[in-house]
Amino acid sequence: MGFRTVVMLYNDQAGQWTNDPDLGLKISRKMNFAMGTAINPQEVDLSYGRVIHCQHADCQEIGVFDSYRFTPLAAGAWRPGEETDAMALRMMKEAAEKLGYRLVKRPA
């Protein structure tokens, strides 16, 4: 596996990024600064968007896209053979715990 990069482009400036022949090059340079939590906004800025996040593809995250930011709530790692529902529940429990809550299933 490799790494994945999440890029947010501003729709109201589509005319700029649609016609930018260097968009891929800009992203590939900026993605190196989008690893970790202490991201300097100028290092990931594309003028008409920004590189939001870059990390190994085995990583799992739950987060909130807010305005032009991504705020992670829970992070984990891929587990061989883990069902999608089990992964989602594990991540939701972690996010709830991080926020000071306990996730419990409603009675049937």
Side-chain angles (χ1 to χ4, degrees), residues 79-98:
R79 297 179 182 180
E82 183 176 39
E83 297 287 329
T84 302
D85 288 346
M87 178 270 300
L89 179 60
R90 175 175 52 83
M91 298 292 290
M92 289 292 293
K93 284 182 177 181
E94 184 179 323
E97 187 173 305
K98 180 179 177 182

Side-chain angles (χ1 to χ4, degrees), residues 16-56:
Q16 291 176 357
W17 53 264
T18 300
N19 297 313
D20 185 347
D22 297 323
L23 179 57
L25 179 62
K26 290 176 183 177
I27 292 170
S28 69
R29 288 183 178 158
K30 301 285 184 170
M31 71 185 185
N32 297 306
F33 298 100
M35 296 183 189
T37 54
I39 297 173
N40 178 344
Q42 288 144 345
E43 292 175 335
V44 296
D45 184 59
L46 297 168
S47 299
Y48 41 71
R50 59 184 295 179
V51 178
I52 297 293
H53 196 50
C54 184
Q55 78 177 190
H56 198 271

